[in-house]
Amino acid sequence: MIKKLCLSTALIVSASSLAQQNEIEFYLTSNSFTDIAPVLQIADDDWQQGPQSDASMGFSQSRFGMAYKHQSLANFRWHIMQRVDYQLATNPQTALGYYQEQNEIPLTTYDEYDVDIDLVGARNRGLGIEYQEQIGQLAVSIQVNYWQLNYLRRSTVSGAVSGKEDLQLLGNLEFEEFYTDNNFLKRPNNEGEWQTSGDGYSLDVAFTYKLSNSLLLHGEFVDLVNHFEITGTGYTQADINTKGSFVDNVGFSSFRPLLKGIEKEQSFEFDLNKQMQLGLDYAKGPFVYHLNTFKQGDKQFTQLGVSEGAWGLLIDPVNKVVDVKYQGESIDWQLGLDKFNPNDALAIRMGFSGTIAW
C-alpha cells in the first residue's frame, strides 16, 4: 500500500511538472481616441453628428497575438503578432467641411475652409523575441520585434475650399499620397507597378519595481524605438483646382475639377507614435490604490483607481474615461469608455489576455 501511495504521488508530481513545461498566452491590446467625432462613426465613415469644435487629432493602435514559453528557456518568450495603426492630424474647419460634404450639407459655414489633413494607416504582421529577467526587486522585460508591412496609406492634403448652396466645391488643394493598395484617385496597380509590402522593427520595454511591501512602481514603453519603410510603393502628387467651371452642351453651368500632378513609384519611411505608461500601486488592507499616467504620441491620460481582489476601477477625470478591469488566474481583461454607449465614445480602450499551460 505504501509503495502504491508513493508511486501515485510520484506520478502526480511528475504530471504536474510536465503540465507546466509549456505556456501559451493569447492577447489583445487596443487604444483608440479622437477629439473629432465618435471613434466608431469615423471608422465606419458614417458621421451622425458634427465634429467637436476643437477637432485636431485621432489615433487607433491595436495589437493582437500569441506568445509561447518553454520551461527549458524560462526567460524567453516567442511572439507571433498582427497590428493595425492609424494616426490622423487635422483642424476644426477640415473636420467640419468633411462632415458637411459627407452629409450633403452646403459648405457655407465659412467663407473659406482651411484644409489640413495628415493621415497614416499601416497594417503589419510580426515576430518578436522577449527576454524577461528578475534582479532583486526589479523585473524587466525587453522585446524586439520584426514587422512585415502589408498595408500603407499616407495622405496629406492642404489648401482652402469654399462651397455653394448647390453643393459645388471651389478651391485649390495640394495633395500627396503614398499607398500599397487603396488610394484617393483609384489608381490601379497594373502588372505590379509598385511594391505592396515593406518591413520594420520596434522595441518594447516593461518593468516592475517593488519599492516596499506596499508600494509597486511599474512602467511599459511600447514602440519605444520603431521604424518602418517600403521601397517603390505607389505615389501620387497633385494640385487640385475645383474652379474649372464651364457650360455643357445643353446650356447648364457646371464644373470639372482640374488635376495636375504625377503618378509614380517612390520609397517611404515613417515612425509610429510611442506609447509610454507609468504607474504606482499602493496596497492597504484588502485594497490596492492606483495612479497611472499614459502618453500616446502627444496625448496624455491620467488615471486614478482602486482594486479589490480580481476587480478594479480606473477613472481618467480629464478625459472622462472609465476603465473596468479583471485580473484572474489565467484570464485578464480591461474595457475603457468615455461614454456609456460605445457608438458615442471618443475614447475606447480594450485589453485581453488568456494563458494556457501544460
Side-chain angles (χ1 to χ4, degrees):
M1 175 66 75
I2 294 176
K3 289 183 178 179
K4 289 183 178 179
L5 181 60
C6 291
L7 180 59
S8 299
T9 302
L11 288 173
I12 291 172
V13 171
S14 176
S16 175
S17 176
L18 288 174
Q20 302 302 317
Q21 290 299 305
N22 304 277
E23 181 181 282
I24 291 180
E25 179 190 6
F26 300 91
Y27 56 86
L28 162 70
T29 59
S30 180
N31 188 18
S32 300
F33 176 85
T34 176
D35 60 8
I36 302 172
V39 170
L40 295 181
Q41 292 184 29
I42 292 178
D44 293 337
D45 202 13
D46 181 23
W47 296 23
Q48 300 170 18
Q49 61 196 65
Q52 304 290 311
S53 59
D54 58 349
S56 64
M57 56 84 70
F59 61 77
S60 179
Q61 296 191 265
S62 304
R63 187 186 295 192
F64 53 96
M66 178 182 73
Y68 171 76
K69 179 171 72 173
H70 191 277
Q71 285 304 313
S72 63
L73 292 171
N75 288 37
F76 290 89
R77 297 206 304 169
W78 288 263
H79 295 254
I80 300 175
M81 304 163 290
Q82 290 198 5
R83 64 183 299 167
V84 180
D85 301 272
Y86 286 93
Q87 300 171 183
L88 172 65
T90 186
N91 63 27
Q93 291 189 13
T94 302
L96 178 61
Y98 182 80
Y99 162 75
Q100 291 176 320
E101 194 275 332
Q102 289 295 99
N103 289 274
E104 297 185 348
I105 301 172
L107 271 68
T108 55
T109 303
Y110 296 96
D111 292 336
E112 196 170 59
Y113 290 73
D114 179 22
V115 177
D116 186 12
I117 300 172
D118 190 339
L119 169 68
V120 175
R123 300 176 196 150
N124 293 268
R125 292 190 298 264
L127 298 174
I129 300 176
E130 177 185 2
Y131 177 74
Q132 301 170 325
E133 186 63 72
Q134 181 79 41
I135 308 171
Q137 303 301 316
L138 175 66
V140 179
S141 167
I142 300 174
Q143 182 174 328
V144 178
N145 308 301
Y146 166 77
W147 299 99
Q148 182 181 61
L149 177 70
N150 49 50
Y151 172 83
L152 167 71
R153 185 174 183 180
R154 195 287 175 112
S155 306
T156 58
V157 183
S158 61
V161 297
S162 59
K164 295 182 177 181
E165 291 293 342
D166 59 3
L167 302 180
Q168 289 190 12
L169 295 178
L170 304 175
N172 291 279
L173 299 172
E174 294 181 2
F175 171 77
E176 183 181 54
E177 189 170 49
F178 297 84
Y179 44 85
T180 56
D181 180 20
N182 186 28
N183 61 91
F184 179 70
L185 296 178
K186 310 299 183 184
R187 178 188 175 193
N189 189 7
N190 295 321
E191 299 180 355
E193 288 181 81
W194 66 77
Q195 298 294 319
T196 58
S197 64
D199 53 18
Y201 62 83
S202 67
L203 174 68
D204 306 328
V205 177
F207 75 91
T208 61
Y209 184 72
K210 189 176 181 181
L211 298 171
S212 68
N213 290 334
S214 58
L215 279 176
L216 181 70
L217 177 68
H218 54 89
E220 185 175 16
F221 306 90
V222 178
D223 297 325
L224 181 62
V225 178
N226 74 90
H227 189 70
F228 299 81
E229 60 182 41
I230 183 169
T231 302
T233 194
Y235 175 76
T236 298
Q237 185 278 324
D239 294 325
I240 303 173
N241 185 338
T242 65
K243 295 182 180 180
S245 59
F246 66 97
V247 177
D248 62 21
N249 55 10
V250 292
F252 289 102
S253 176
S254 186
F255 78 100
R256 179 184 294 118
L258 303 178
L259 187 148
K260 181 181 179 181
I262 58 173
E263 291 182 332
K264 62 177 185 176
E265 296 72 56
Q266 187 162 311
S267 298
F268 182 63
E269 302 180 13
F270 65 99
D271 300 333
L272 293 171
N273 282 339
K274 296 176 176 62
Q275 303 174 53
M276 298 180 286
Q277 179 175 329
L278 286 173
L280 185 65
D281 297 346
Y282 173 66
K284 181 70 172 179
F287 300 102
V288 179
Y289 301 93
H290 308 279
L291 172 61
N292 297 332
T293 181
F294 176 83
K295 188 174 183 181
Q296 189 152 350
D298 296 327
K299 184 61 181 178
Q300 185 81 36
F301 302 90
T302 300
Q303 297 176 314
L304 302 171
V306 61
S307 60
E308 194 276 325
W311 292 90
L313 181 69
L314 297 166
I315 298 175
D316 179 347
V318 175
N319 298 290
K320 300 179 177 63
V321 183
V322 177
D323 286 68
V324 177
K325 65 176 184 177
Y326 173 84
Q327 293 182 306
E329 292 184 3
S330 59
I331 293 179
D332 300 344
W333 60 262
Q334 183 170 348
L335 176 64
L337 296 167
D338 69 326
K339 297 286 195 313
F340 182 76
N341 185 349
N343 292 321
D344 297 329
L346 299 176
I348 300 177
R349 285 198 289 266
M350 295 185 294
F352 171 83
S353 69
T355 303
I356 302 172
W358 72 95

